[in-house]
């Protein structure tokens, strides 16, 4: 028996030496990714491409294993995707790679769900191509927990035909982004032009300016525009300044009172919102995201000419200045890949992510989603220069603010949005709202928030 | 031996009713959240004091009571009685048709039903009501409570309608005939013959539907999600759900949510006791003083 076993072992070793390709291990990784918008599918596809590239590298190295990956792309919504991910983390059987917004780094690393990636990042020069500023968005408590996958901006959109109807010349319309960037066209102008449009009958009451219909990161922009500090760099605590809050609430109160913004916006369906804004026929100004452009082109205005129609009809700029000391800005919420703590193949998963840092692979993503790429070398690609939309929004990265990384950011954000909708409904005036928010935050967050 | 027969049902009751209650109470004494899932701390009654000291708690409690009373009075009991009584005076086939029509909302999936309501009440150019009235507005935002009570009510009415119809059918025909011989009007029949004999079913529907309304929030969540504005239509169960599970960033506070649900159990008990007192339950279950054969 022992003799037979030895013989078999010997035979096997010979076979291994003779044909390394025959006896290989296959390591199967699992990756969950999310849009939730359809055009973001490359978040899953690109991992498959990266695995192909990695297997090529492994062959060159003569490694005794190959990698397979099972990807899943979620198009439901953030809330249900995050819950699904959390449940899988809690079950201890999470996918090896998870994609999510950079803000999830804080709660997920605190809970011990995701692995710190410093050693993998430092040990692989493929990660050096990532735009350095983006590492800030995934650094928490001194470690990097995620690999930035794309970035974005949240433009202030406007309807060109409606401005023309208001008597603006083509030069004035096309020059608006520059005026906003230089601080010459401010939020006060948004309100006065919006009111003018309503009074002139160019748009219906309440359609001068729209913000998104449900809570989301956009609303931090208005805090930032008024000079808010959202996190204390020393303690890491969240920060709320009631004086800034009052300025923000007063701005929205004025917009509702002047008939520029309808309080009915809250709770409107996304479909309605996109249909009304992207047509360029009924809403003058609105805040949105760069990824909306791809959604509108392939969705709402596809039958009107898609991209070409949008280029003629919709303009975009930074969120206009509200405070001269701050100037115009936008908010970016970089999407990123994380590796779960429970993964048995963290090193292999990190190598897959390293191989995804390839301008050829990334090109596919930014051309479909119109989200600015994260690789410096991608920004030198001809397609990047040639893409009408991307090349025109690239400058926004220089004006980009991020949300603070804190496990209780969600509680802050829910409270802030709830008070804001109450202001728009006329339940509270700005001063009262600022005070109520301070009390709510102090009650909900305790030591985690500093009220200034 | 009898215990052995009780075992299957007993196991199910313990697993699906008693254990969840115990577990909820245990969870409500911790600070369990998504951020500390592996190692929650015991915090005693902190969660309860957070809930009770919340400055909006009275408003949310008031909303819950208002929602309960309004929906029950107008629809789950009121409209249900009206349909049941009125259809018992018309020919059978027509009556069945009307009752079937009222069952439609109940067999429609809640999400589809809400989508239909939203479509009817959306602002122009899409909303049907905005088109008909020429006033383009989000009717849900303008009259949130009316819409919520109405939407819940036309679904809730069918439950009472079925129970009451069956009860009216079980009243012996002789009583109606005797009343008719004495020259009773239809209103008199309803007041003196039908309603007194509906006390049991009315008690049952009130109690059952109160508890159902207290714990159900899906229509409110889909229609207004507690808005528009500041807890305008937030009811207790929705509040517990949103505190525990709903957040843009996936931060969920299970401990606090459990404390709120435990609070809901207390509210439900109080409501049940009030209902039992209101209908003099003890009188209903006393032995009849004469034997009827």
């Amino acid at each position: 028996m022992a003799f037979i076993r030895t013989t078999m072992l010997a035979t096997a070793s010979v076979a291994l030496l003779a044909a390394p390709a025959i006896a290989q291990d296959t390591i199967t990784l699992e990756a969950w990714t999310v849009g939730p918008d359809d055009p973001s599918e490359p978040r899953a596809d690109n991992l498959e491409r990266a695995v192909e590239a990695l297997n090529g590298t492994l062959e060159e190295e003569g490694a005794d294993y190959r990698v397979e990956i099972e990807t899943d792309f979620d198009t439901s919504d953030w809330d249900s995707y995050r819950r699904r991910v959390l449940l899988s983390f809690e079950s201890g059987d999470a996918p090896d790679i998870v994609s999510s917004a950079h803000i999830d780094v804080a709660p997920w690393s605190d809970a011990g769900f995701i692995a710190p990636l410093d050693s993998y990042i430092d040990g692989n020069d493929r990660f050096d191509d990532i735009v350095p500023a983006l590492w800030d968005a995934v650094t928490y408590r001194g470690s990097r927990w995620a690999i930035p996958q794309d970035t974005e901006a949240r433009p202030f959109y406007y309807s060109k035909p409606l401005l023309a109807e208001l008597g603006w010349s083509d030069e004035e319309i096309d020059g608006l982004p520059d005026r906003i960037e230089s601080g010459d066209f401010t939020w006060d102008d948004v309100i006065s032009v919006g009111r003018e449009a309503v009074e002139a009958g160019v748009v219906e009451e309440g359609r001068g300016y729209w913000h998104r219909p449900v809570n989301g990161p956009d609303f931090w922009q208005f805090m930032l525009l008024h000079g808010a500090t959202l996190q204390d760099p020393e303690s890491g605590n969240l920060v709320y300044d009631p004086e800034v809050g009052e300025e923000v609430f007063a701005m929205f109160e004025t917009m509702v009172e002047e008939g520029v913004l309808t309080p009915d916006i809250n709770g409107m369906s996304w479909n309605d919102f996109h249909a009304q804004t992207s047509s360029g026929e009924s809403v003058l100004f609105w805040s949105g995201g760069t990824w909306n452009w791809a959604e509108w082109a392939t969705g709402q205005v596809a039958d009107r000419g898609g991209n070409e129609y949008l280029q003629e009809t919709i303009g975009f700029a930074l969120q206009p200045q509200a405070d001269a000391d701050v100037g115009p800005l936008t908010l970016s919420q970089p999407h990123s890949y994380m590796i779960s703590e429970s993964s048995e193949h963290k090193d292999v998963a990190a190598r897959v992510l390293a191989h995804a840092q390839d301008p050829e692979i990334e090109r596919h993503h930014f051309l479909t989603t119109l989200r600015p790429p994260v690789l410096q070398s991608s920004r030198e690609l001809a397609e990047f220069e040639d893409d009408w939309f991307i090349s025109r929004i690239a400058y926004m990265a220089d004006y980009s603010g991020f949300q603070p990384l804190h496990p209780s950011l969600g509680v802050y954000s829910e409270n802030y949005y709830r008070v804001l909708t109450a202001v728009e409904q006329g339940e509270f005036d700005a001063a009262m709202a600022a005070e109520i928010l301070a009390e709510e935050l102090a009650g909900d967050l305790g030591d985690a928030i500093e009220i200034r | 031996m009898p215990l052995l027969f009780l075992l299957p049902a007993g196991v199910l009751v313990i697993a699906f009713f008693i254990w969840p209650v115990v577990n909820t109470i245990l969870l409500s004494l911790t600070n369990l959240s998504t951020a500390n899932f592996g190692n929650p701390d015991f915090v005693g009654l902190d969660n309860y004091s957070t809930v009770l000291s919340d400055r909006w708690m009275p408003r949310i409690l008031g909303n819950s009571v208002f929602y309960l009373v309004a929906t029950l009075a107008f629809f789950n009991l009121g409209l249900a009685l009206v349909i049941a009584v009125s259809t018992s005076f018309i020919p059978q086939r027509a009556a069945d048709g009307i009752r079937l029509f009222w069952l439609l909302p109940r067999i429609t999936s809640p999400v589809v039903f809400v989508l239909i309501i939203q479509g009817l009440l959306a602002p122009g150019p899409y909303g049907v009501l905005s088109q008909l009235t020429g006033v383009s507005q989000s009717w849900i935002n303008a009259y949130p409570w009316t819409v919520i009570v109405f939407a819940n009510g036309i679904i809730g009415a069918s439950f009472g309608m079925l129970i009451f119809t069956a009860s009216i059918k079980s009243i012996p025909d002789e009583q109606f005939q005797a009343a008719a011989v004495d020259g009773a009007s239809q209103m008199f029949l309803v007041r003196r013959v039908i309603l007194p004999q509906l006390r049991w079913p009315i008690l049952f529907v009130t109690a059952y539907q109160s508890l159902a309304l207290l714990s159900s929030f899906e229509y409110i969540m889909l229609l207004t999600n507690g808005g528009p504005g500041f807890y305008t239509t937030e009811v207790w169960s929705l509040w517990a759900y949103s505190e525990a599970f709903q957040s843009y960033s996936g931060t969920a506070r299970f401990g606090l949510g459990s404390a709120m649900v435990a609070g809901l159990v207390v509210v439900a008990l109080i409501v049940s006791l009030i209902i039992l007192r209101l209908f003099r339950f003890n009188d209903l279950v006393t032995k009849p003083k004469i034997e009827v054969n």
Side-chain angles (χ1 to χ4, degrees):
Chain A
M1 205 61 204
F3 166 74
I4 294 177
R5 199 179 303 149
T6 321
T7 320
M8 278 177 71
L9 268 175
T11 323
S13 327
V14 170
L16 261 179
L17 288 170
I22 292 176
Q24 276 173 358
D25 283 343
T26 301
I27 292 176
T28 306
L29 297 177
E30 195 183 357
W32 285 2
T33 58
V34 58
D37 49 315
D38 292 335
S40 300
E41 185 130 24
R43 282 176 183 161
D45 301 346
N46 285 354
L47 290 177
E48 291 169 18
R49 294 168 189 230
V51 165
E52 272 173 45
L54 173 63
N55 282 333
T57 310
L58 290 173
E59 196 164 338
E60 286 165 25
E61 292 172 1
D64 62 350
Y65 69 91
R66 296 288 180 270
V67 183
E68 277 181 8
I69 192 159
E70 291 168 0
T71 58
D72 172 275
F73 179 67
D74 192 306
T75 54
S76 56
D77 61 59
W78 277 109
D79 200 12
S80 41
Y81 175 71
R82 284 185 169 117
R83 193 166 317 147
R84 198 179 129 205
V85 171
L86 284 169
L87 286 172
S88 80
F89 279 142
E90 283 149 19
S91 71
D93 187 29
D96 303 88
I97 297 174
V98 169
S99 96
S100 197
H102 77 109
I103 52 169
D104 293 317
V105 157
W108 293 359
S109 64
D110 272 1
F113 295 149
I114 52 176
L117 304 180
D118 288 320
S119 57
Y120 305 113
I121 296 166
D122 295 332
N124 198 321
D125 51 17
R126 284 173 172 272
F127 291 115
D128 298 347
D129 197 6
I130 291 174
V131 174
L134 287 173
W135 289 115
D136 294 346
V138 295
T139 302
Y140 178 63
R141 291 182 311 169
S143 300
R144 286 163 292 179
W145 299 86
I147 309 292
Q149 191 260 337
D150 68 20
T151 168
E152 60 179 25
R154 290 160 196 261
F156 175 82
Y157 285 107
Y158 58 94
S159 157
K160 294 179 184 177
L162 292 177
L163 283 176
E165 217 174 308
L166 205 57
W168 287 40
S169 69
D170 285 354
E171 290 73 39
E172 285 174 318
I173 293 172
D174 294 332
L176 185 58
D178 291 340
R179 282 183 63 200
I180 288 179
E181 189 180 5
S182 65
D184 178 35
F185 187 91
T186 65
W187 208 274
D188 290 338
D189 299 316
V190 172
I191 299 175
S192 63
V193 173
R195 192 181 53 232
E196 203 184 318
V198 171
E199 281 167 1
V202 170
V203 292
E204 283 175 32
E205 176 104 2
R207 290 169 181 261
Y209 168 79
W210 276 8
H211 58 65
R212 63 182 282 157
V214 295
N215 189 20
D218 291 26
F219 296 100
W220 295 118
Q221 292 175 139
F222 308 117
M223 283 273 191
L224 296 173
L225 279 169
H226 287 90
T229 307
L230 298 174
Q231 191 169 27
D232 184 285
E234 296 295 310
S235 63
N237 289 336
L238 293 168
V239 175
Y240 170 62
D241 180 345
E243 279 179 25
V244 176
E246 190 175 337
E247 287 173 21
V248 174
F249 294 133
M251 186 170 103
F252 286 93
E253 191 178 37
T254 309
M255 282 200 275
V256 172
E257 281 169 0
E258 307 257 337
V260 174
L261 166 67
T262 171
D264 283 354
I265 188 74
N266 297 302
M268 178 184 284
S269 75
W270 272 119
N271 283 343
D272 260 5
F273 180 88
H274 286 316
Q276 313 253 350
T277 51
S278 61
S279 71
E281 288 163 357
S282 72
V283 184
L284 184 64
F285 298 126
W286 67 98
S287 296
T290 43
W291 61 94
N292 292 149
W293 195 268
E295 283 180 82
W296 297 332
T298 55
Q300 283 80 6
V301 298
D303 52 359
R304 299 187 185 205
N307 227 334
E308 279 166 26
Y309 177 82
L310 289 175
Q311 290 175 18
E312 283 164 25
T313 316
I314 311 289
F316 42 87
L318 294 162
Q319 302 291 332
Q321 172 179 312
D323 176 333
D325 297 336
V326 181
L329 52 80
T330 181
L331 183 106
S332 174
Q333 178 174 258
H335 200 81
S336 61
Y337 291 122
M338 303 166 202
I339 297 179
S340 60
E341 186 56 59
S342 61
S343 167
E344 290 168 6
H345 304 289
K346 294 192 189 68
D347 51 337
V348 182
R351 287 197 77 177
V352 172
L353 295 182
H355 275 77
Q357 311 308 319
D358 175 329
E360 279 304 307
I361 288 180
E362 193 178 37
R363 185 184 60 173
H364 174 55
H365 180 67
F366 75 71
L367 289 180
T368 5
T369 62
L370 301 184
R371 282 188 171 91
V374 300
L375 297 179
Q376 298 166 67
S377 51
S378 286
R379 301 188 174 193
E380 290 154 15
L381 287 177
E383 286 95 338
F384 180 75
E385 295 296 328
D386 293 349
D387 188 275
W388 188 89
F389 184 72
I390 288 207
S391 57
R392 280 170 174 72
I393 58 164
Y395 77 97
M396 293 188 182
D398 303 334
Y399 292 89
S400 210
F402 299 123
Q403 296 165 90
L405 287 178
H406 192 286
S408 298
L409 182 72
V411 180
Y412 190 168
S413 135
E414 298 286 321
N415 277 300
Y416 166 35
Y417 177 68
R418 191 180 299 120
V419 173
L420 178 67
T421 56
V423 170
E424 292 177 356
Q425 290 291 328
E427 275 184 80
F428 309 146
D429 63 31
M432 189 174 154
E435 216 168 298
I436 286 177
L437 181 54
E439 286 170 30
E440 292 284 297
L441 291 174
D444 271 357
L445 295 171
D447 298 342
I449 185 131
E450 292 168 23
I451 312 283
R452 297 204 167 151
Chain B
M1 199 62 195
L3 282 179
L4 197 66
F5 281 105
L6 273 177
L7 196 66
V11 167
L12 286 176
V13 168
I14 288 168
F16 290 102
F17 288 99
I18 297 177
W19 170 240
V21 171
V22 172
N23 199 19
T24 301
I25 290 169
L26 288 178
L27 282 182
S28 72
L29 304 173
T30 68
N31 64 353
L32 186 73
S33 78
T34 42
N36 59 10
F37 217 86
N39 46 359
D41 301 318
F42 179 80
V43 294
L45 296 174
D46 277 8
N47 288 325
Y48 291 91
S49 68
T50 307
V51 175
L52 291 175
S53 62
D54 191 298
R55 66 185 285 182
W56 306 105
M57 194 276 289
R59 178 187 267 207
I60 290 163
L61 192 62
N63 283 346
S64 311
V65 172
F66 171 79
Y67 164 66
L68 179 70
V69 172
T71 314
L72 261 182
F74 285 109
F75 289 96
N76 293 20
L77 281 176
L79 185 64
L81 272 171
V82 168
I83 301 168
V85 172
S86 55
T87 52
S88 54
F89 286 107
I90 58 173
Q92 180 74 24
R93 286 188 69 153
D96 285 346
I98 290 172
R99 289 198 284 262
L100 189 66
F101 171 78
W102 275 100
L103 273 174
L104 283 177
R106 180 170 289 280
I107 54 177
T108 311
S109 127
V111 178
V112 174
F113 179 75
V114 167
L115 280 174
I116 294 170
I117 299 254
Q118 282 175 334
L120 291 171
L121 303 180
Y126 307 115
V128 175
L129 195 61
S130 295
Q131 290 253 0
L132 291 175
T133 56
V135 182
S136 170
Q137 62 170 358
S138 162
W139 295 83
I140 298 178
N141 275 5
Y143 305 102
W145 272 123
T146 316
V147 173
I148 285 172
V149 169
F150 180 82
N152 271 285
I154 53 178
I155 291 164
S158 57
F159 178 85
M161 170 191 84
L162 289 179
I163 306 265
F164 298 146
T165 307
S167 312
I168 294 171
K169 277 208 178 3
S170 69
I171 298 173
D173 257 350
E174 294 83 354
Q175 294 187 15
F176 290 107
Q177 287 155 2
V181 169
D182 289 343
S185 68
Q186 281 194 342
M187 274 318 290
F188 192 86
L189 269 182
V190 172
R191 249 190 25 236
R192 299 287 174 159
V193 179
I194 296 179
L195 284 182
Q197 307 202 49
L198 286 187
R199 264 187 67 180
W200 257 116
I202 289 177
L203 168 66
F204 169 72
V205 169
T206 310
Y208 185 89
Q209 294 278 294
S210 300
L211 299 182
L213 285 170
L214 267 181
S215 61
S216 79
F217 57 86
E218 68 271 31
Y219 292 99
I220 302 185
M221 186 174 106
L222 293 165
L223 281 166
T224 64
N225 203 5
F230 212 69
Y231 294 134
T232 312
T233 57
E234 188 103 354
V235 295
W236 194 288
S237 49
L238 177 60
W239 191 36
Y241 173 79
S242 52
E243 287 290 331
F245 294 118
Q246 227 188 354
S247 132
Y248 184 82
S249 60
T251 324
R253 294 176 288 176
F254 303 106
L256 189 64
S258 303
M260 292 168 151
V261 175
L264 188 66
V265 172
V266 175
V267 174
L269 276 173
I270 294 171
V271 169
S272 307
L273 287 173
I274 292 176
I275 290 168
L276 293 181
R277 282 298 299 269
L278 212 63
F279 282 90
R280 297 202 297 279
F281 183 72
N282 289 338
D283 298 357
L284 285 172
V285 293
T286 45
K287 278 203 155 63
K289 293 183 178 62
I290 45 171
E291 199 67 35
V292 182
N293 283 322

